[in-house]
């Protein structure tokens, strides 16, 4: 359990690093005329991601959830892969990446890195991590609760990003890029 709590603590530290990065990127975007969209859902997103980390720490202890090696190691591998995908998204978008939805006028959508393959790869990372991290220590209630609530939130978030990136009713993006979940391509920000 101690090692698992250390892992959850490292993920929490990673989230703080994301917020510091996002704050710096927000200043960059605003200095270039960026506009924020979807402020109303942002507090719910922060609360959900905070609840995920709290649930990961509390459920295994409170419910006596065991570490099941076959599940735990597989889930840890998936959680690690989700982190790698998230930071690939951040590196690809550079200063355009954000935890908020910010659009800088005139910038084209990014079609490099994971955005060549998916329209919203960061949200794939969020969904995988939200399912996998709790399952490292069989916190299945947390995994289930986060997944259901995250799906509802992503419907709002992705809709917000798609609307923010719409120009005159037409999306400014290659039609061949499938939609599946993150920083709406480029000019908009990505979720944590």
């Amino acid at each position: 359990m101690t090692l698992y709590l250390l892992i959850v603590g490292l993920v929490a530290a990673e989230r703080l690093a994301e917020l510091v990065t996002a704050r710096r990127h927000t200043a960059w975007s605003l200095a270039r005329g960026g506009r924020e969209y979807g402020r109303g859902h942002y507090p719910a997103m922060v609360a959900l991601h905070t609840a995920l980390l709290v649930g990961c720490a509390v459920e295994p202890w409170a419910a006596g959830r065991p570490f099941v090696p076959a599940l735990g190691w597989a889930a840890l591998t998936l959680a690690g892969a989700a982190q790698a995908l998230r930071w690939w998204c951040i590196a690809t978008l550079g200063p355009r990446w954000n935890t908020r939805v910010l659009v800088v006028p005139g910038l084209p959508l990014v079609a490099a890195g994971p955005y060549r393959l998916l329209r919203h790869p960061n949200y794939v990372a969020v969904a995988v991590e939200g399912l996998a991290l709790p399952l490292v220590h069989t916190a299945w209630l947390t995994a289930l609760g986060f997944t259901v609530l995250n799906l509802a939130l992503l419907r709002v978030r992705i809709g917000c990003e798609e609307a923010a990136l719409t120009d005159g009713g037409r999306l400014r993006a290659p039609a061949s890029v499938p939609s599946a979940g993150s920083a709406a391509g480029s000019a908009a920000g990505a979720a944590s």
Side-chain angles (χ1 to χ4, degrees):
M1 182 73 180
T2 302
L3 183 56
Y4 178 61
L5 291 177
L6 176 62
I7 292 167
V8 172
L10 288 172
V11 172
E14 186 275 336
R15 288 290 193 276
L16 292 175
E18 282 183 26
L19 291 174
V20 168
T21 300
R23 189 173 295 242
R24 188 172 59 247
H25 291 178
T26 296
W28 182 92
S29 294
L30 294 177
R32 286 158 181 77
R35 180 174 170 207
E36 184 174 356
Y37 297 82
R39 281 186 177 187
H41 73 266
Y42 189 75
M45 189 176 76
V46 171
L48 180 60
H49 285 258
T50 301
L52 170 67
L53 297 174
V54 170
C56 284
V58 172
E59 183 182 348
W61 168 78
R65 304 276 192 240
F67 175 78
V68 177
L71 175 62
W73 292 117
L76 184 59
T77 300
L78 285 173
Q83 287 294 333
L85 177 56
R86 172 180 286 115
W87 282 95
W88 187 19
C89 293
I90 293 169
T92 300
L93 291 177
R96 296 179 185 191
W97 179 87
N98 211 302
T99 57
R100 297 180 179 272
V101 179
L102 290 162
V103 177
V104 177
L107 293 180
L109 290 175
V110 172
Y115 297 92
R116 289 174 306 170
L117 308 170
L118 297 170
R119 186 150 179 81
H120 301 282
N122 192 69
Y123 297 144
V124 171
V126 168
V128 169
E129 181 188 64
L131 182 64
L133 185 62
L135 292 179
V136 170
H137 217 290
T138 63
W140 63 270
L141 287 173
T142 299
L144 179 64
F146 178 85
T147 299
V148 169
L149 294 173
N150 188 51
L151 286 173
L153 182 59
L154 284 180
R155 286 180 53 91
V156 172
R157 177 72 173 203
I158 291 172
C160 173
E161 288 187 0
E162 296 294 325
L165 293 173
T166 298
D167 183 24
R170 292 189 319 245
L171 196 62
R172 300 174 296 167
S176 62
V177 179
S179 184
S182 169
S186 76
S192 88

